[in-house]
Structures are given as C-alpha cells and as structure tokens.
Amino acid sequence: MDNHLYYQKLSQLRLFDDDFMIIALKNKECVECILRIILNDKNLKVKELHNQYPHKNLHGKSIEVDILAINYKC
C-alpha cells in the first residue's frame, strides 16, 4: 500500500471506531486525556487501565467496557 492510500485510510478512522479505540485506549496517557476532557477534570489520574474489561452481573448478563475507571475521591 503506498503512503497516500495509507494516510487516506487513517484519515477516515475516528476514535470511536472500535478497532481504533481498542488500540488507542491501551495507552494510559491517552485515556487520561480523553477522560479529562469529557469530565472537565484537569487533575484526573488513571491508576489502573483495563482495556475491554468484561463486567458480569448475577443475572447472567455481561458487557465489555472499554474503560473501567474508579473515582477514589468518593
């Protein structure tokens, strides 16, 4: 694939495309930046990062969350 085609494909990606998000959210600093913007909290720190974290409940239902964040101030 030539560079022009490569950059064209990259420019079509959005952070919320699942394949791109999985890779981007492996980076703790990237996750902190996104959460700081969304939550408007410049002091937010990510202590642990669990990418594609499975969360199950007692009723047999489960989901995979992209970010598991815990607010230790509460």
Side-chain angles (χ1 to χ4, degrees), residues 12-48:
Q12 294 172 355
L13 291 175
R14 300 291 176 259
L15 184 58
F16 291 99
D17 292 332
D18 197 45
D19 295 333
F20 189 48
M21 183 175 270
I22 289 169
I23 294 169
L25 296 182
K26 287 182 180 179
N27 182 297
K28 192 163 123 175
E29 289 78 20
C30 180
V31 172
E32 279 184 357
C33 180
I34 292 168
L35 289 175
R36 285 176 181 167
I37 293 168
I38 292 171
L39 300 173
N40 194 27
D41 183 350
K42 295 177 184 173
N43 298 316
L44 184 138
K45 283 296 216 185
V46 173
K47 292 192 177 195
E48 293 181 37

Side-chain angles (χ1 to χ4, degrees), residues 41 43-44 70-74:
D41 183 350
N43 298 316
L44 184 138
I70 300 170
N71 182 349
Y72 289 101
K73 291 180 185 177
C74 293

